[in-house]
Amino acid sequence: MTSRRLFLLLTLIFLLVLSTGEATAQEDTAWEPWGPHVDEIFMPISHDHKALVAAFERGEIHVMPGLSWAPYIDRIKANPSADVVTNYGHHVYYLCFNMRRRPFDADVVRQAIAHLVDRDRIIAEVFQGTVLPLSSFLPPSSSFYRDDVPARLYDPAEVAKILDAVGYTMDTTTKIRRDPATGKQMRELRLLAPSESPAIARIIEETCKAAGLPVKAELVKFSAMTDRLDKFEFDMYVLATTMSRFPTSLDYFFHSSQDTRGGYNKSGIRDSGLDKALEEIRYAPDLETVKRAADEAQLILAERQPWVTIYSRPYTDAFRKDKFIGYVPMHGEGAARNQWTPLNIRSATDTGGVIHWPLTGEPKTLNPCTSTSAYESEVLGKISDGLIAVDPENLEDIPWMAREWEIGTWEPAKGKQGTVITWYLHDGILWQDGEPFTSADIKFTIEYLKKYKVPKYVDSVQDIVKVEAPDRLTAKVYFSTESYWHLYNANLCFLPQHIWKSVWNYNTFSPWLRSHPKVKGLTRLIGVGPFILKEFKPGEYVRLVKNPLYWRLPKETEAGE
């Protein structure tokens, strides 16, 4: 069965599961924009999924996020105290090539290796059919996903034809192909992979060696791996990422401006036609232009092959429903990773309480300017809030810290149009140390990110010309260009001006390790979100406690709690 046919079959099966009770929690759960209801989130750090599942069964762990292995899912489903909730996600697992290095600077080598990724085997052996094969650069949960993008499916015979035709011929003695540039045996090609999950890298190593490509899986700790990726010290790597609900994620990962240390373009692809399509996505004045440019970008990426996308994992999360209720399913995010579950989840038997919610990876940093991993986002996302939010039912934008906004235009230069976003903030929002959150913090954050050229945010702020704060609750953000997406570019993870104004080297700043200058018990890692960082013990746990100053605390008298 081909990967395309298997994809369709698995999609139909998954839709059947969703329609026959697997997502019953979504039908029964009413969410509300108030919270939090628990006193503390205790996040033990563990890579040992077997131990975590056992702890979940004993009731010591209350949330199991991101389940993917079929035996564990079946085990948990058999527990009458568990609720398994499944949602489509934006997850992508991929193989990335370093196009700055030989032989991966040649399209033909990357295209050949794409034919050696056996998606069917990976899905069957590693995941027992619980994930969906992916050969496009956006997952099916995106409305911009294109299902007719040409795909290089597993075909070792085709690999031999491709490589032989360009001079990568097989040495019959060593069974290793020769490099046509040197006439000698190809050098060892290192495939970086997290030591916590080596199976996929091992399969790719095996299929490549069988085709005469000397690929060697190099397994390293996730934290060490990200260091090497940031420095471009790799040949290839396999890793997962999360795309956004918009095709702007293609711009983040593949535009040449992101080919910089700490940038998202790890492959190093530089293609003028691709850049043009991605810039059309970035600066599109309307949705029709976005769709057309996204189609073009996906076709170019399929041809150039900087990545080989392998699978997309639906979000499958489990909750101990005998202990906690109120979790909120959400397509594109899952029930355990969205904004609303930490606000809505509550004890099934009492008020307050401590929920045990594991981190399956180690945060390397809790600096909002340098964080890159999903594990860091899981912590920081509970400490911060945005100006707008996404309705978990219809996935439409709704007001959040901004009670409303306006989108207009201005003239950054004679005859040129630019977008201007005006935010009108709710009054009474406080930082976790009691200082008010105002338009001055928005202005400071944007100017700080621009001044220091923070790679994580360069794409969001590069077109901002100026920010005005005409009063404490109004911020006006002016862009040099007109774009459909500037509303989202102006919605950042904001920094408290009174903490960060003295930080000139964001790379060396560790706010979670430094005591707050005025408030005992706080660190300099403060946000405006529902939870406060209480303690982080690397390798052991993260403790988050309810923010008593949170601007969306439940109205106890109205709620009857």
Side-chain angles (χ1 to χ4, degrees):
M1 181 180 291
T2 68
S3 290
R4 185 69 71 186
R5 289 176 60 200
L6 179 59
F7 175 84
L8 294 172
L9 176 61
L10 288 174
T11 301
L12 289 171
I13 293 171
F14 189 58
L15 286 170
L16 180 63
V17 169
L18 280 176
S19 64
T20 55
E22 192 67 16
T24 54
Q26 185 169 10
E27 299 169 1
D28 298 337
T29 300
W31 68 280
E32 57 185 24
W34 305 99
H37 297 272
V38 297
D39 296 323
E40 181 179 330
I41 300 179
F42 181 77
M43 308 182 82
I45 299 168
S46 176
H47 309 294
D48 190 339
H49 290 269
K50 182 178 181 180
L52 287 173
V53 169
F56 181 85
E57 290 175 325
R58 293 192 300 269
E60 297 167 3
I61 293 291
H62 307 130
V63 182
M64 275 299 299
L67 289 165
S68 59
W69 197 43
Y72 287 158
I73 295 173
D74 292 340
R75 222 169 108 181
I76 290 174
K77 281 182 181 176
N79 186 336
S81 297
D83 190 11
V84 177
V85 185
T86 303
N87 294 98
Y88 279 115
H90 298 314
H91 170 278
V92 172
Y93 193 93
Y94 63 100
L95 166 66
C96 176
F97 304 102
N98 188 346
M99 295 171 63
R100 307 167 194 85
R101 290 186 176 183
R102 280 190 47 79
F104 304 109
D105 57 342
D107 287 3
V108 68
V109 173
R110 302 190 306 275
Q111 292 164 353
I113 292 177
H115 281 297
L116 293 171
V117 176
D118 191 346
R119 296 176 180 85
D120 294 358
R121 178 183 170 189
I122 288 168
I123 290 167
E125 291 184 9
V126 182
F127 300 104
Q128 291 73 50
T130 60
V131 299
L132 300 173
L134 184 69
S135 57
S136 64
F137 284 80
L138 289 174
S141 56
S142 170
S143 60
F144 298 92
Y145 163 73
R146 181 165 177 166
D147 62 1
D148 61 345
V149 172
R152 293 182 176 87
L153 306 181
Y154 180 65
D155 190 347
E158 182 66 18
V159 173
K161 292 178 185 177
I162 292 172
L163 294 178
D164 287 346
V166 293
Y168 286 93
T169 55
M170 184 78 79
D171 185 310
T172 55
T173 303
T174 64
K175 302 298 182 184
I176 295 175
R177 292 184 177 273
R178 297 184 183 89
D179 186 333
T182 64
K184 298 179 181 179
Q185 178 178 300
M186 292 181 72
R187 69 174 178 86
E188 186 173 73
L189 308 175
R190 291 277 179 162
L191 171 57
L192 275 183
S195 56
E196 298 87 349
S197 50
I200 294 173
R202 294 293 194 201
I203 291 173
I204 295 173
E205 175 190 63
E206 178 187 324
T207 56
C208 285
K209 282 184 174 178
L213 296 174
V215 170
K216 175 69 175 176
E218 182 181 354
L219 308 178
V220 296
K221 289 286 187 182
F222 176 77
S223 57
M225 181 174 169
T226 56
D227 281 340
R228 290 179 59 178
L229 299 187
D230 284 343
K231 299 173 184 176
F232 308 141
E233 295 174 353
F234 68 94
D235 288 331
M236 303 179 282
Y237 70 85
V238 285
L239 208 58
T241 192
T242 301
M243 299 292 196
S244 75
R245 58 193 175 113
F246 307 126
T248 46
S249 52
L250 298 178
D251 189 31
Y252 303 151
F253 288 113
F254 302 113
H255 193 277
S256 60
S257 65
Q258 283 290 321
D259 180 16
T260 180
R261 298 260 175 131
Y264 287 102
N265 184 355
K266 306 299 185 190
S267 70
I269 185 170
R270 287 176 173 267
D271 183 293
S272 59
L274 178 60
D275 277 356
K276 181 181 177 183
L278 296 176
E279 287 161 14
E280 286 179 359
I281 293 172
R282 186 191 305 167
Y283 301 122
D286 52 54
L287 191 59
E288 183 180 346
T289 303
V290 174
K291 179 64 178 173
R292 183 176 63 251
D295 286 351
E296 177 66 16
Q298 289 177 82
L299 289 170
I300 294 171
L301 289 167
E303 174 62 23
R304 296 297 312 278
Q305 207 81 64
W307 288 6
V308 181
T309 54
I310 300 174
Y311 71 85
S312 181
R313 186 185 69 198
Y315 288 114
T316 303
D317 307 301
F319 299 84
R320 284 292 302 233
K321 63 183 179 182
D322 58 328
K323 297 183 180 292
F324 288 91
I325 58 174
Y327 34 92
V328 182
M330 183 174 176
H331 288 312
E333 302 287 343
R337 288 185 172 87
N338 66 63
Q339 171 182 352
W340 306 109
T341 289
L343 280 184
N344 283 262
I345 203 163
R346 65 200 75 193
S347 171
T349 59
D350 204 349
T351 59
V354 179
I355 186 167
H356 289 232
W357 191 323
L359 277 172
T360 55
E362 175 86 47
K364 174 186 167 186
T365 178
L366 292 180
N367 179 334
C369 284
T370 58
S371 65
T372 56
S373 80
Y375 312 118
E376 292 151 7
S377 295
E378 282 191 57
V379 176
L380 293 172
K382 295 174 176 64
I383 295 171
S384 62
D385 258 355
L387 297 174
I388 57 178
V390 180
D391 186 301
E393 294 177 349
N394 59 28
L395 303 183
E396 294 180 357
D397 296 325
I398 58 175
W400 197 237
M401 290 200 301
R403 57 182 173 81
E404 60 179 322
W405 60 86
E406 294 174 354
I407 304 175
T409 58
W410 72 302
E411 278 197 357
K414 188 175 180 180
K416 186 177 180 182
Q417 289 285 98
T419 298
V420 57
I421 308 293
T422 304
W423 300 109
Y424 299 99
L425 305 179
H426 281 288
D427 198 2
I429 300 176
L430 301 176
W431 293 102
Q432 292 164 351
D433 59 2
E435 292 290 324
F437 171 79
T438 72
S439 56
D441 293 299
I442 296 177
K443 178 178 169 65
F444 168 80
T445 298
I446 293 172
E447 290 175 349
Y448 184 95
L449 298 176
K450 282 183 69 68
K451 178 179 179 180
Y452 293 107
K453 298 180 174 60
V454 179
K456 179 178 176 180
Y457 295 104
V458 67
D459 191 70
S460 295
V461 302
Q462 64 184 354
D463 294 328
I464 296 177
V465 176
K466 62 179 179 177
V467 186
E468 295 176 347
D471 61 59
R472 56 187 293 274
L473 298 178
T474 305
K476 298 175 75 72
V477 185
Y478 294 82
F479 293 83
S480 61
T481 56
E482 190 176 5
S483 173
Y484 182 78
W485 307 109
H486 283 330
L487 175 68
Y488 308 101
N489 291 335
N491 181 34
L492 301 163
C493 179
F494 296 105
L495 307 172
Q497 180 179 6
H498 59 289
I499 297 294
W500 280 78
K501 64 184 179 182
S502 60
V503 178
W504 60 271
N505 189 340
Y506 70 87
N507 271 310
T508 60
F509 185 43
S510 301
W512 72 99
L513 296 176
R514 299 189 61 184
S515 298
H516 192 280
K518 294 182 179 180
V519 182
K520 187 176 180 180
L522 288 183
T523 70
R524 299 192 188 205
L525 177 61
I526 57 169
V528 290
F531 292 93
I532 298 171
L533 177 70
K534 184 67 176 178
E535 191 177 10
F536 172 28
K537 281 201 170 184
E540 296 185 39
Y541 60 81
V542 174
R543 283 182 61 210
L544 303 176
V545 296
K546 182 178 181 177
N547 176 10
L549 302 178
Y550 188 50
W551 68 287
R552 300 294 288 187
L553 286 175
K555 298 180 179 180
E556 306 292 336
T557 54
E558 293 180 12
E561 295 179 355

